[in-house]
Amino acid sequence: MTQTRTFLILAWLMVATLLWMEWGKERDAAAAPAPAIPTATQAVGTATPRIPVASVPGATPAVAPVAAAALPVVRLRNDVLALELNGRDVTRAELLRYKQARDTGSPPVVLFDADPARHFAAHSAWRGSDGRELVLQPEGSARDIVLADGAKAVEARFVATTPTGVQLRRTFTLPRGSYALRVRDELANTGSGTWAGDVERRLERVPPVVKSGMTNPEAFSLNGAAWWSPEEKYEKRKYPKFVEDGPLNLEVTGGWIGLSQHYFLAAWIPQKDQGALYSLGANGPLYRVDARGPHVTLGPGQQIGSDATLWVGPKLADQLEATAPGLERAMDYGYFTPLSQPIHWLLTQLHKLTHNWGWAIVLLVVVIKLLLYPLSAAQYKSMAKMRKFQPRIEQLKERYGDDKQKFQMAMLELYKKEKINPAGGCLPILIQMPVFLALYYVLLEGVELRQAPWIMGWVNDLTARDPFFILPVVNGAVMWLTQKMTPMVGMDPMQKKMMQMMPLVMAVMFAFFPAGLVLYWVTNGALGMLQQWWNTKRYAEDPAKA
């Protein structure tokens, strides 16, 4: 099979794969069986934490929670993140280094939002067994707390005290340059009675409307909940499936929960040695993921501490990995994770050299071409041999006329006799296919490439399509030139016509793909064409006599 034919195979494989992924977004996922709900054990008079029992879905709490509007708001800000919080809820989060658009003066991306139409918030509250919440109030009068010059972190403190002597102290710590908000709870019983309760850490939002479509990057990114446990590793569920796929009720120690969207993530990471019960739920347009626990029982004079981290920011692989085990899996590459993760790492290293993500993609192609060169050399050698015997194949075609079966048998006999491998040109391109799709997911999930330019005035955003369609046209031209250099051995007129249409078909298809992806494919095709020209001269032989 010639390299020309492999272009046809490649095109249909790519279209089929993308259509399969699009269909997969709509099909029903198999519902996982719910694990056994843990039973409560006797813990009277101790401060040993345990996992709470599952609640009944839709059950109304015995005591209504305090309205967020009734709680004082404190604004906490470091150099990358501006938060509004009331001790229990983080109601607003602005990502100061990420603009909503490339326009000058564009406001920052808002992840948490109190607007009812775009509601998105993080919640963390301790409640007693009677359902009463420990209502936190700010310590001191400061309501705007900003990271000072030279300071390593900024803090906000809250306190709650009940009439029975139970006291909760909560400290929010936001380090410089970090999107990981540390939350430290210190719970003490200074009264004469026993107090029992648990903490619920929750993320809730009204899901954004995402336009579906094979060429819309957001449609392929996870828009829903994700969670990780040491036993089951990374799992996820899209918003429409929260209730439809059944309850979660998963006991986890040392994991995390999150709500994911294109490029950005909010995630609760409970203390790694304290268990929690993970659950999903929906109430009208509001969807939530919870981690409830630990459940504690405090006798008089006893106390306990509980730490958690709230990630609210972009999906930055190195920072996610440093924050919690498995959190980097929130960069969801799907089935291509084993390839996409090293490609993302390699792109990051190349960017350190070029300081431009477009040129980093070009260098990535060069690296891949060097790695695949032994295969490519064998491919071009095979093509040169086929070119040598093209006159004899044309003679066989004239001899057998319309009898295609005899023609194919005679051609295979010729291949066998002359030791020609007709599939010699397929392997390199078939290897490039998963690399191509893995890079596609890197461009989808890599927030570093968001709004990243290649050549200003032309490609201002590598994750958007080429505004002038130059790259798709160049890609079509490269394919056409490659066809002209490639022998079309054994093709009938219909196959040749199909192959002649492929550059146009690919140019139109690539016009709607991210510019970074098309840049990869144009560079790959151009270098491949140069390799083919060089190796054709290198392995050129006189045509075999017919």
Side-chain angles (χ1 to χ4, degrees):
M1 184 180 292
T2 67
Q3 182 174 348
T4 307
R5 287 185 180 181
T6 61
F7 277 116
L8 183 60
I9 295 174
L10 173 64
W12 290 120
L13 276 175
M14 182 171 64
V15 172
T17 303
L18 292 173
L19 287 174
W20 170 74
M21 290 189 293
E22 177 73 12
W23 170 75
K25 297 201 279 71
E26 306 298 332
R27 69 185 179 190
D28 293 334
I37 297 174
T39 58
T41 58
Q42 295 295 326
V44 178
T46 72
T48 303
R50 58 180 173 84
I51 300 175
V53 297
S55 58
V56 178
T60 303
V63 179
V66 178
L71 300 173
V73 174
V74 172
R75 285 168 287 276
L76 187 68
R77 176 174 176 148
N78 67 359
D79 54 329
V80 299
L81 196 58
L83 304 175
E84 292 183 6
L85 44 90
N86 56 32
R88 180 189 65 190
D89 308 307
V90 182
T91 57
R92 187 174 180 84
E94 296 182 2
L95 311 185
L96 303 177
R97 294 187 179 177
Y98 293 87
K99 295 181 178 181
Q100 295 182 19
R102 287 189 56 85
D103 304 334
T104 303
S106 174
V109 169
V110 177
L111 198 55
F112 290 156
D113 198 336
D115 187 324
R118 301 185 299 272
H119 178 80
F120 191 4
H123 171 98
S124 177
W126 286 87
R127 291 181 178 84
S129 298
D130 58 359
R132 295 185 183 277
E133 179 185 338
L134 302 184
V135 182
L136 290 154
Q137 297 291 332
E139 277 192 345
S141 58
R143 295 294 182 269
D144 287 280
I145 308 174
V146 180
L147 181 68
D149 293 340
K152 294 182 178 180
V154 62
E155 290 186 348
R157 299 177 183 274
F158 292 79
V159 64
T161 304
T162 70
T164 59
V166 177
Q167 185 179 78
L168 170 64
R169 289 189 175 276
R170 172 168 290 176
T171 303
F172 292 95
T173 303
L174 190 57
R176 179 180 293 276
S178 178
Y179 297 94
L181 177 67
R182 299 199 297 263
V183 184
R184 170 65 180 172
D185 289 343
E186 296 173 333
L187 191 62
N189 185 357
T190 62
S192 58
T194 298
W195 183 89
D198 56 54
V199 61
E200 178 189 29
R201 299 179 176 105
R202 181 173 74 235
L203 295 163
E204 60 184 26
R205 82 173 305 179
V206 175
V209 177
V210 177
K211 182 181 178 181
S212 62
M214 192 173 69
T215 59
N216 178 28
E218 289 190 52
F220 289 95
S221 192
L222 174 63
N223 191 30
W227 59 93
W228 188 91
S229 64
E231 296 78 22
E232 303 296 331
K233 305 303 180 184
Y234 177 78
E235 297 178 280
K236 59 186 177 181
R237 191 179 296 184
K238 296 185 178 182
Y239 288 116
K241 305 294 184 182
F242 269 35
V243 177
E244 185 177 331
D245 281 358
L248 183 60
N249 292 333
L250 182 67
E251 300 177 44
V252 177
T253 301
W256 55 265
I257 59 170
L259 290 181
S260 181
Q261 67 181 65
H262 193 216
Y263 293 133
F264 303 105
L265 171 74
W268 272 118
I269 305 106
Q271 186 170 320
K272 63 181 180 180
D273 60 349
Q274 293 181 353
L277 183 72
Y278 291 2
S279 62
L280 300 171
N283 183 12
L286 194 66
Y287 291 77
R288 69 179 187 275
V289 57
D290 301 85
R292 191 158 65 91
H295 183 90
V296 299
T297 302
L298 293 177
Q302 292 186 322
Q303 60 184 11
I304 192 172
S306 184
D307 294 317
T309 300
L310 175 65
W311 177 273
V312 48
K315 297 176 183 176
L316 298 170
D318 54 345
Q319 293 192 33
L320 291 173
E321 187 174 4
T323 301
L327 193 58
E328 74 281 357
R329 286 290 285 111
M331 297 182 68
D332 191 350
Y333 301 126
Y335 295 111
F336 299 98
T337 296
L339 276 176
S340 292
Q341 284 184 332
I343 286 176
H344 182 270
W345 177 86
L346 181 56
L347 264 179
T348 302
Q349 304 310 308
L350 294 174
H351 178 259
K352 292 177 182 178
L353 297 175
T354 63
H355 304 286
N356 182 293
W357 287 104
W359 294 119
I361 291 173
V362 172
L363 284 183
L364 175 68
V365 179
V366 174
V367 171
I368 292 175
K369 280 293 184 183
L370 290 174
L371 292 174
L372 295 179
Y373 182 76
L375 291 174
S376 298
Q379 169 195 7
Y380 297 127
K381 190 174 182 179
S382 175
M383 289 170 57
K385 204 166 188 178
M386 291 184 69
R387 184 180 289 105
K388 176 182 177 181
F389 287 94
Q390 189 168 358
R392 291 180 60 179
I393 293 175
E394 291 297 330
Q395 183 189 48
L396 292 175
K397 192 172 182 181
E398 292 177 4
R399 178 184 302 172
Y400 293 107
D402 294 332
D403 194 336
K404 293 183 179 180
Q405 184 175 359
K406 287 185 177 180
F407 168 67
Q408 291 291 338
M409 291 181 64
M411 190 166 60
L412 290 174
E413 184 65 28
L414 175 64
Y415 287 161
K416 183 178 179 181
K417 179 181 178 182
E418 301 296 341
K419 298 180 180 180
I420 299 173
N421 181 10
C426 294
L427 187 58
I429 290 185
L430 291 178
I431 290 176
Q432 292 171 27
M433 184 64 192
V435 173
F436 172 82
L437 292 171
L439 178 64
Y440 181 64
Y441 268 85
V442 169
L443 294 175
L444 289 182
E445 288 294 305
V447 70
E448 300 93 338
L449 275 68
R450 178 182 180 268
Q451 299 177 359
W454 175 37
I455 298 175
M456 293 300 296
W458 172 20
V459 178
N460 298 324
D461 184 357
L462 286 165
T463 58
R465 66 185 183 185
D466 183 345
F468 304 113
F469 305 107
I470 296 173
L471 286 173
V473 171
V474 172
N475 182 65
V478 168
M479 285 191 64
W480 181 80
L481 290 172
T482 304
Q483 279 189 2
K484 295 300 181 182
M485 297 168 58
T486 306
M488 295 188 182
V489 179
M491 281 192 180
D492 58 35
M494 180 62 69
Q495 286 178 318
K496 288 183 179 180
K497 287 182 180 179
M498 291 179 64
M499 292 308 305
Q500 289 168 357
M501 289 294 296
M502 283 308 300
L504 178 62
V505 171
M506 296 292 281
V508 172
M509 185 169 64
F510 274 113
F512 301 97
F513 279 80
L517 189 71
V518 187
L519 173 61
Y520 167 85
W521 203 245
V522 167
T523 309
N524 182 75
L527 289 178
M529 183 177 65
L530 290 174
Q531 277 187 335
Q532 182 172 339
W533 173 79
W534 169 253
N535 283 282
T536 298
K537 291 183 62 177
R538 180 183 177 187
Y539 295 113
E541 296 183 40
D542 294 332
K545 294 182 180 180

